Amino acid sequence: MDFQDFKDRIPKLKKIVLPGEEAHHKLVPGNRREEMKNLDINSLKPNKAGVMAVFYPNNFGKTHLVLILRKTYKGVHSNQIGFPGGRVEPEDENLEQTALRETEEEVGIPRNNIEVIRELTRLYIPPSNFWVQPYLGLLEKTPTLIPQESEVERILEVDLDHFLDHSNFVNQELSTSYSKKMVVPAFKLNEQIVWGATGMMLSEIREIFRKSF
């Protein structure tokens, strides 16, 4: 999709009612659905985080999205695909500022250059006990993306049309730190399997884009 065409659709995008859990559930592994029912998240005292889904033009004027492949480390999200973002720090005024700061740190996009389009639906991540607030962001110019050496293994630039193509919605067998050989719904983007919390957030983005496009 041409970037100008994408920008022209933003006013409608801002007004669409978020599908929330209905969209999230399309990417929830079957064994997780029962776990999430009647969960009192506040009682778990979750950590808070903000992430940013940034859309921008590439060098040919086509709309792209930034994702990152995280470094391998001792943690539940090791070597997984995600959005730029992270934990709230004391200097952050709010979660939007968290998402902007972390995006600048992880992929090198200056926070002042990103126009925040809207919030998405907050999502709880049980394995890490994080409550994550996602945002949609717009960048007017092609960025020079610089991966944060300590956090980011690789940056993925995903073409919007590729993301919206239904053939890239798949079921994939995976082994994780808490389950072996489970089949999960996922997106296959740039030859990478994107599932779990990031897949759930992408599912909501895909739903509202389909309604506005």
Side-chain angles (χ1 to χ4, degrees):
M1 178 182 291
D2 288 340
F3 187 65
Q4 185 58 53
D5 190 16
F6 176 76
K7 286 177 60 179
D8 290 344
R9 298 166 192 263
I10 288 176
K12 185 175 180 180
L13 193 62
K14 291 179 177 179
K15 297 177 182 178
I16 290 174
V17 176
L18 293 174
E21 291 184 358
E22 180 182 347
H24 290 168
H25 285 171
K26 294 180 180 181
L27 269 289
V28 176
N31 63 335
R32 277 292 174 86
R33 291 174 185 166
E34 288 301 317
E35 292 178 20
M36 296 299 293
K37 284 184 179 179
N38 304 316
L39 189 64
D40 183 3
I41 298 173
N42 281 310
S43 69
L44 300 172
K45 298 180 180 179
N47 300 298
K48 294 180 180 180
V51 301
M52 186 68 64
V54 184
F55 291 85
Y56 62 92
N58 73 349
N59 290 322
F60 302 99
K62 297 296 184 181
T63 307
H64 277 61
L65 163 69
V66 175
L67 294 173
I68 60 173
L69 174 63
R70 297 204 172 275
K71 292 275 190 180
T72 300
Y73 65 98
K74 292 183 179 180
V76 295
H77 301 304
S78 169
N79 200 231
Q80 290 185 5
I81 304 294
F83 293 106
R87 181 194 299 265
V88 170
E89 298 293 346
E91 68 266 26
D92 298 332
E93 294 180 7
N94 50 47
L95 286 168
E96 181 178 308
Q97 291 301 311
T98 299
L100 289 167
R101 174 184 54 75
E102 286 279 349
T103 298
E104 182 171 3
E105 291 174 1
E106 293 190 334
V107 297
I109 300 174
R111 67 193 80 182
N112 294 333
N113 291 356
I114 299 173
E115 175 191 346
V116 179
I117 299 171
R118 67 175 300 172
E119 289 184 353
L120 297 172
T121 302
R122 188 167 55 165
L123 179 66
Y124 177 66
I125 306 177
S128 55
N129 193 32
F130 264 94
W131 218 344
V132 179
Q133 177 62 63
Y135 297 88
L136 283 182
L138 180 74
L139 187 65
E140 291 278 357
K141 296 181 179 179
T142 306
T144 299
L145 299 172
I146 305 169
Q148 184 180 23
E149 187 174 346
S150 61
E151 300 280 346
V152 179
E153 182 67 31
R154 184 153 60 91
I155 293 174
L156 283 72
E157 299 185 70
V158 180
D159 182 276
L160 178 57
D161 292 327
H162 175 64
F163 165 54
L164 294 176
D165 186 343
H166 186 70
S167 67
N168 292 315
F169 180 77
V170 300
N171 287 300
Q172 181 77 21
E173 184 178 270
L174 297 171
S175 292
T176 71
S177 59
Y178 53 85
S179 184
K180 303 298 181 185
K181 293 186 177 181
M182 65 177 183
V183 176
V184 301
F187 292 98
K188 188 174 183 180
L189 303 175
N190 293 23
E191 300 303 316
Q192 297 287 329
I193 298 300
V194 187
W195 63 289
T198 304
M200 293 165 72
M201 289 182 256
L202 283 170
S203 179
E204 181 170 59
I205 293 171
R206 187 172 182 271
E207 288 290 321
I208 63 173
F209 279 12
R210 289 178 63 189
K211 292 177 181 178
S212 62
F213 294 175

